[in-house]
Every structure is written in C-alpha cells, then in structure tokens.
Amino acid sequence: MQTTNIVDENIQRIGELFPNCLTERLNDEGKPEVAIDFDQLRQELSKDIVEGAEERYQFTWPDKRNAIRLANAPTTDTLRPCREESVDFDTTQNLYIEGDNLQVLKLLRENYLGKVKMIYIDPPYNTGNDFVYNDDFSQTTGEYMHNSGQEDEEGNRLVANTESNGRFHTDWLNMIYPRLKVAKDLLSEDGVIFISINDYELDNLLKACSEVFGSSNKLACFCWRTDGNFDNQARIKNCHEYILLFAKKETMVNLPETIDPNIPKTSKIFKEEIRNTIIKNGVKNPISDLLIPKGFPADIEKCHIDKANVIWPQYSESIIIDDFKTQNDVVARTGWASKAQLVDFINGGYKSVVDNKGQETIFVLTKTGAIETIKKRENTSHVISVLNNMGGTQKATADMGELGNFFDYPKPVSLMKYLSSMYSKDNDLVLDFFSGSATTAHAVMQLNAEDGGKRKFIMVQLPEKTDEKSEAYKAGYKNICEIGKERIRRAGKKIKEESPLTTQDLDTGFRVLKLDSSNMQDVYYTPSEFNEQKLFDDNIKPDRTEEDLLFQTMIELGIALSAKIEKRSIAGKTVWSVSDGYLMACFDEEVNETTITEIARQQPYYFVMRDSSLANDQVADNFEQIWEEYSKDTVRKII
C-alpha cells in the first residue's frame, strides 16, 4: 500500500551493471541494507575522476539533492473516487484528479508507467506574484504527508513566491524539478512534453529539462505570439511566450503530420503530387546535350510540339506525342537541375528513381515542351517554430464562456488543439498536471470530435481556493477544480450539441478522483510501533468506503484507473469486478466459503479482500485450499 521506492530500483540497476559497486550499510533502524559504493562507481565510470573542488560545468541550486530525493521517495497516499462529481463514471476513459500533482504523479507512475503519449503543462511562470508548491524538504519521507489544499505554516499549501524572497529561483526550481523527473517516467518511448513558460524562468527551465530529458531530446522552443496583453508602460512590449518541446527519446518520435494553419491552402504541400521543372542554367548547371529517346513519358495523350515555340530546352527537332509517349528521338540542350537522375530514369526504362531526399521521382514531358519531375507529397513536418494567430488570453477567455470571467490567463483551445494534433492520435493518452481551467481536456474532446480520434485525458489540479472577494467565489466556485470540472461538463455538452450526428460515441465524461492519505491505519505500515492490543484492531480507517479500498488496490496492482468497474452480488455478498473480472475484490463482513468458492470459479487474475472479512477461522484455514482447487494461478492479496 505504498508506491515503488525508485531509489531501490536504481540501486538494483546499477548493481546489475557493476556488481562490484554494491555494498552494505546499516540503515536508520540499525538493520543492514544494500547500498552503492560511490568511490568504486566513480572508478568504473571515469578514467579521470571529477570530484571535490575541481571546476566543471554543472547546473545546481540550493536543495537540488532534496528535490531529487523527493522525486524518488515513495508515497502512501491514495486516490478516492467521487462519483457525484463525475460524468459517466462507469464508462468514461478520462480522469480528473484533485490534489498535489507531485504525489498524484507518483501514484500514476504505478499505473501509467511509459503509457502517456503527450504531456502539456502550464506551470507558474514565477513572475513575482505567483504561488508555488511549498514542498517541505525538512521532513523525512515518512513524515511527508498528503496535502490536498493550500498549506503553509498557517495551513496554506501554496505560498507566494515574491521577488524579495532570497530563494526566488531556488524555490521555483525545487518545485518544478521533481515533477519533471516523475513525469518523464510516465511518457511512452515516443512520448513528448510541452511546457509553457515566459522570460522569467525560460533559461532555468531549459537547463532543467535538458538535465531531466537530455539535451539531445529537445525538439523545439516555440515562440507563441499572444494577442497583445502586454505592459503598455514597458520600454519594449513583450507580446509572446514560449512553449518548450522535449521528447523522451528523440529517435523514437515521428515527424508531426500537422501543417501550420497559417500556411495557405493553395500551397503545394497540400497537393498529392509536387511538380517542378528541371531546367536550371547556371555555373553549377552548365548547358549540355541529352538524348530524349522515343517512348519518353508525357502528361498529355496526343500533341505536336513545335521546337520553334520552345525556348528551354532547345530541341533538335519538333516532338510528336501519342498515347502519352514521345514518338521520336530528340536531343535536348539546356542546363539541367537533375541530369544524373534523368539519365537513371531513362536507362531504367522510365521507372521511378529515388532522389537525394529519399523521395521516389518520375519525369514527364509537358505540352509546353518542359521536362518536369513529379514527386508524391511526403509526410514531412510543416510545423513552424513561431506560433501565430493561435489566440491569446482574450480568445481563451471567450472559449470558456461565462466561466472565463473566473480565471486568469487561460490558454486558448485553438493553441492546445494544434499542439495535441502534432503528436497524439487514435487512442493516445494526454496528461496535464497543471490543468488550471482544463483547456487541455476541452481541446482533446474537440479534436476527437473533428478527426474521430479516441484520445483520453488525465487532468491533475490542486484544489487551490478562490479568493472570497472574487466573482468565481461569489458564483459558488470555492476552488479552481470546481471551475475546471464545470468547464469540461459545459464544453462536452456544447461539442455534442453542435455535431449531434458525428459525436454520438464521443467520450465527454470524466472520473473524478481525489488525493487523500492512505486508507490504512498507521499500524498497517509500522506495526512495531504499536502495542499487542492495537495489532488486532481494524487496520482500515473507519471513514473509508469499499470503493476507496478498490481504487487503492488498483493503484497497487497497476490497473488503469479508468478501467471498467462492476458491482456484483455473489452468494449474498458485494463483489467488485474490474476489467471484466481481471481483478475481483470483496470487502464485505462475514464472507464464507461459498462466496470465496464462487469467486474462485470465475478465475480472476487478482483477488483481494480484507483480513477482517473472513467469517471465521475455518474459512481462513480453507482459504488457500479453495483457490488451489479452482484457480491456483490467481494472485491473492489480503489487506
């Protein structure tokens, strides 16, 4: 009932590569544990050791080590379902998660490791007026507890990061760095991450991403032209922001098939075939003669080309065309742009040749006497690094309708649709863990409606409280999450109303989950700290429901949190079935042999139940025997 300890996994990997670097030490409890001999590891990794006070290039800041530790530290938090705030809870593949995004990312790592195709985030820009997550590095891993709202020394989770703070950039880096490290684990091998930012932290974000993802995996730094919301008092009016694009593995990422919407529809890149003349006189293309033999292909069925009417090439005689082929030999004299390829085309019996860009090319004679190349349009990238006419805050506010009055600086749907179309399609999963007004969810649903895709989204947002003096608070929205969820509800309804015939199967629902402390009592994790009597108390918190336990089990077993869930009755007891019986769980009281036998007959891959659910000692004694008889391969877990 806690996430994987990434440090232990890293030690194991290093040990597989360098067994001689493994050693033992005593932990805080005085018990031996495996550790890394870093002196030995340095010898393995370098002929000339770089250590101590020797100068070297590095990107660092105060508490960086703690930021790394925080990314690797396990969590015992859980996600609790909230049906009443969800839309289509039982059928949707989308998730909306409320809570500290670092803790949520750690939990998602259990279920979605390497499964997210695209991440977009719009983190705080650190303008001097932003709030940043106040991750407490002074606490031990065991003390680092869940935070579901704002909390500082006075109970606020988010704290203002003003420029007068001596740790201005440090606090921002300590906030973003561990989240990027965990997010990388969620990306698929061909996955990408987009990050919005402005001038304040662009340099630091570039360095942090280059360190986390690798500088070779940087794909672009987009310059997004906003709609003119700039400081009129500034000496130079900044009317742009940046969007960084990094890949998990640049070599695995395909070229985006998206075409910049500002490119005119008349452009040749929209044509199935691209034609160009091969006549090009000049120093690099001196004039020379070439025999164009009888049978050379033409793009017109029947024609007579008078050589006197053709300026270039100069032909030795007029050309007769019949049945889309020349009927006589002619000598053409001109400067050639692709003479070697043309010769290969002729010598190869007029079969297509491959040019220096890998495209298949054929040559034809036109009715004007010109010789042209014909190439099929290839799926090359037509994404431009400057993002123009995508809208800005004003358009984004309009996208949100009346909810736009409640949110500062949302992103426009058109921008998010364009970014999403670059690298996501079909059934890809899109994650936004600074989801704010939920523009990403809106854009994913809109894009699915337009291209028939089945993309799924996961939105994560801290339930940051709205100001009691704000219009949002007066309208009944007590935190940002309430605005985001309502925006998705309205956007989904509007999309379906605008295209009722093509959006019947469009998934506009979302399953709401809320981050909370573990469902288990402290005695579950640290039994040695409790007296003998306490060990026999119920180890599950009294306010937790069966569905709460089910979702924590799904997290532990790595089952998708959007998986189909059914509530069944077997032998008079409530049994939960996940993914058509892949996981079955029973948390009822007084579960007898009949119920267990009926469940075992269905042969689930996993079966989970409470230790207090067994009706009596006899049932407990026969438990393993029943499973061995009916489904011995089922993995059984007792909580």
Side-chain angles (χ1 to χ4, degrees):
M1 287 298 177
Q2 73 174 16
T3 57
T4 305
N5 191 321
I6 302 301
V7 173
D8 290 343
E9 288 190 353
N10 291 338
I11 290 174
Q12 181 180 347
R13 293 192 187 102
I14 292 175
E16 291 171 357
L17 291 172
F18 308 106
N20 59 324
C21 294
L22 291 182
T23 184
E24 289 187 0
R25 68 173 183 183
L26 297 179
N27 62 18
D28 295 338
E29 298 177 357
K31 297 179 180 179
E33 65 177 8
V34 177
I36 297 295
D37 183 337
F38 286 99
D39 290 333
Q40 185 68 32
L41 184 60
R42 289 190 187 96
Q43 292 180 14
E44 293 286 353
L45 297 179
S46 177
K47 290 181 289 185
D48 300 313
I49 299 174
V50 179
E51 61 180 342
E54 183 176 338
E55 293 182 356
R56 60 190 183 275
Y57 178 83
Q58 59 181 324
F59 175 52
T60 189
W61 63 91
D63 279 334
K64 181 179 181 180
R65 289 184 179 180
N66 280 321
I68 296 172
R69 177 188 64 81
L70 192 58
N72 294 334
T75 179
T76 59
D77 286 351
T78 189
L79 296 172
R80 302 177 65 185
C82 183
R83 282 181 173 268
E84 59 271 21
E85 296 179 18
S86 304
V87 176
D88 301 329
F89 184 95
D90 291 320
T91 58
T92 184
Q93 294 293 298
N94 303 317
L95 299 177
Y96 188 98
I97 305 176
E98 297 184 22
D100 177 345
N101 54 16
L102 179 58
Q103 301 302 89
V104 172
L105 287 171
K106 291 180 182 181
L107 293 170
L108 292 178
R109 184 162 54 189
E110 300 295 299
N111 306 70
Y112 297 95
L113 185 71
K115 295 181 180 178
V116 176
K117 183 62 176 295
M118 172 188 147
I119 296 175
Y120 170 82
I121 57 172
D122 184 14
Y125 282 9
N126 214 24
T127 60
N129 299 311
D130 289 329
F131 288 89
V132 297
Y133 286 80
N134 183 27
D135 299 320
D136 189 350
F137 295 134
S138 65
Q139 295 175 324
T140 64
T141 300
E143 293 171 337
Y144 189 86
M145 298 301 292
H146 152 76
N147 291 286
S148 61
Q150 293 169 289
E151 185 175 348
D152 57 15
E153 293 178 356
E154 298 177 352
N156 295 314
R157 176 72 179 102
L158 291 177
V159 295
N161 194 33
T162 60
E163 289 186 78
S164 59
N165 176 12
R167 294 167 53 92
F168 183 61
H169 296 291
T170 292
D171 285 350
W172 189 86
L173 282 166
N174 283 329
M175 179 272 294
I176 198 68
Y177 193 81
R179 288 161 176 83
L180 292 177
K181 281 185 65 67
V182 182
K184 179 186 177 183
D185 292 340
L186 299 178
L187 284 175
S188 59
E189 294 297 283
D190 59 348
V192 298
I193 181 170
F194 293 90
I195 310 174
S196 285
I197 201 69
N198 68 2
D199 296 273
Y200 285 92
E201 293 292 351
L202 174 64
D203 290 345
N204 283 330
L205 183 60
L206 268 169
K207 291 184 178 73
C209 287
S210 294
E211 186 167 296
V212 171
F213 299 99
S215 57
S216 62
N217 291 313
K218 178 191 170 192
L219 299 180
C221 178
F222 292 101
C223 181
W224 168 42
R225 173 68 161 84
T226 58
D227 58 6
N229 287 317
F230 45 76
D231 182 4
N232 286 316
Q233 305 302 316
R235 293 176 181 174
I236 297 177
K237 310 298 188 286
N238 282 337
C239 56
H240 67 276
E241 294 180 9
Y242 302 97
I243 301 176
L244 296 187
L245 173 60
F246 274 78
K248 185 171 185 179
K249 282 189 178 179
E250 183 270 339
T251 55
M252 300 290 290
V253 175
N254 295 324
L255 289 173
E257 299 179 12
T258 309
I259 297 176
D260 189 293
N262 295 295
I263 296 177
K265 297 300 181 183
T266 55
S267 170
K268 67 181 181 181
I269 68 173
F270 288 99
K271 298 177 181 179
E272 289 302 315
E273 292 184 341
I274 300 175
R275 300 178 66 135
N276 288 296
T277 180
I278 65 170
I279 297 172
K280 189 172 183 181
N281 296 334
V283 177
K284 294 183 179 180
N285 306 98
I287 295 174
S288 61
D289 294 341
L290 182 64
L291 175 65
I292 307 299
K294 176 183 177 180
F296 193 88
D299 67 353
I300 188 169
E301 183 177 9
K302 195 177 185 71
C303 181
H304 178 273
I305 302 174
D306 189 338
K307 70 173 187 176
N309 295 331
V310 183
I311 300 177
W312 291 103
Q314 295 175 346
Y315 288 109
S316 59
E317 56 185 285
S318 297
I319 306 171
I320 300 171
I321 296 175
D322 190 21
D323 192 24
F324 296 101
K325 293 179 289 188
T326 60
Q327 300 301 309
N328 58 318
D329 293 341
V330 296
V331 175
R333 182 178 178 81
T334 187
W336 306 92
S338 306
K339 185 175 181 179
Q341 278 187 298
L342 178 56
V343 171
D344 291 342
F345 177 71
I346 295 171
N347 293 338
Y350 310 124
K351 293 181 180 178
S352 62
V353 294
V354 179
D355 67 11
N356 56 6
K357 294 182 179 179
Q359 285 183 283
E360 290 191 357
T361 304
I362 62 172
F363 296 79
V364 294
L365 186 69
T366 71
K367 65 180 179 180
T368 64
I371 298 177
E372 294 184 347
T373 60
I374 299 180
K375 302 179 182 182
K376 288 190 175 181
R377 181 171 66 86
E378 61 178 353
N379 290 327
T380 56
S381 173
H382 295 288
V383 172
I384 298 172
S385 61
V386 178
L387 305 176
N388 283 318
N389 302 315
M390 302 282 180
T393 303
Q394 294 172 2
K395 186 180 188 310
T397 300
D399 290 339
M400 292 183 64
E402 66 181 59
L403 292 179
N405 297 323
F406 305 151
F407 210 89
D408 295 331
Y409 310 115
K411 294 296 183 286
V413 172
S414 55
L415 173 67
M416 293 310 306
K417 271 176 49 185
Y418 181 57
L419 298 181
S420 299
S421 68
M422 288 186 199
Y423 291 105
S424 73
K425 57 184 179 180
D426 302 331
N427 293 302
D428 287 339
L429 181 59
V430 178
L431 167 66
D432 184 344
F433 54 89
F434 284 94
S435 66
S437 63
T439 302
T440 303
H442 188 164
V444 167
M445 292 189 297
Q446 185 68 55
L447 195 57
N448 283 342
E450 294 174 6
D451 66 10
K454 300 289 184 182
R455 301 171 188 83
K456 305 173 284 289
F457 65 75
I458 299 177
M459 300 292 105
V460 183
Q461 176 60 43
L462 189 78
E464 180 185 346
K465 297 174 183 177
T466 53
D467 192 315
E468 293 185 6
K469 298 178 181 179
S470 67
E471 293 300 317
Y473 187 89
K474 294 175 183 177
Y477 300 101
K478 306 307 180 188
N479 62 58
I480 290 178
C481 291
E482 293 181 5
I483 300 174
K485 287 179 290 188
E486 182 61 20
R487 195 257 182 93
I488 301 174
R489 295 186 191 102
R490 296 188 187 191
K493 181 180 179 182
K494 183 180 179 182
I495 291 169
K496 286 193 169 184
E497 288 176 347
E498 291 176 345
S499 305
L501 299 179
T502 58
T503 59
Q504 295 176 353
D505 298 326
L506 181 67
D507 185 359
T508 57
F510 55 94
R511 184 176 283 183
V512 175
L513 305 174
K514 297 188 178 185
L515 186 70
D516 207 333
S517 59
S518 173
N519 295 315
M520 315 305 292
Q521 301 276 22
D522 291 342
V523 67
Y524 182 88
Y525 297 103
T526 55
S528 61
E529 297 179 7
F530 293 84
N531 60 43
E532 185 174 333
Q533 181 60 41
K534 283 288 185 180
L535 296 179
F536 291 93
D537 291 345
D538 191 352
N539 58 13
I540 296 172
K541 294 176 180 176
D543 64 331
R544 303 306 165 95
T545 67
E546 290 189 5
E547 209 161 20
D548 291 337
L549 296 178
L550 181 66
F551 270 83
Q552 186 156 4
T553 299
M554 290 166 66
I555 292 170
E556 181 184 1
L557 299 179
I559 298 173
L561 298 176
S562 58
K564 178 183 176 183
I565 297 174
E566 297 175 281
K567 190 176 181 180
R568 303 176 183 176
S569 178
I570 297 179
K573 299 298 180 181
T574 298
V575 177
W576 298 89
S577 172
V578 180
S579 295
D580 297 317
Y582 179 74
L583 161 66
M584 297 187 76
C586 182
F587 305 115
D588 265 359
E589 299 292 338
E590 299 296 321
V591 176
N592 57 31
E593 293 174 340
T594 302
T595 304
I596 295 174
T597 300
E598 288 302 311
I599 296 173
R601 287 179 186 274
Q602 299 187 38
Q603 298 184 331
Y605 188 87
Y606 288 112
F607 173 70
V608 179
M609 68 182 300
R610 297 175 60 167
D611 64 349
S612 61
S613 294
L614 296 172
N616 50 54
D617 291 343
Q618 181 179 344
V619 178
D621 292 339
N622 295 332
F623 181 85
E624 290 297 330
Q625 182 179 342
I626 293 171
W627 283 102
E628 285 296 319
E629 180 176 353
Y630 294 102
S631 185
K632 64 179 182 179
D633 293 330
T634 294
V635 180
R636 285 90 73 182
K637 288 185 176 290
I638 305 295
I639 61 173

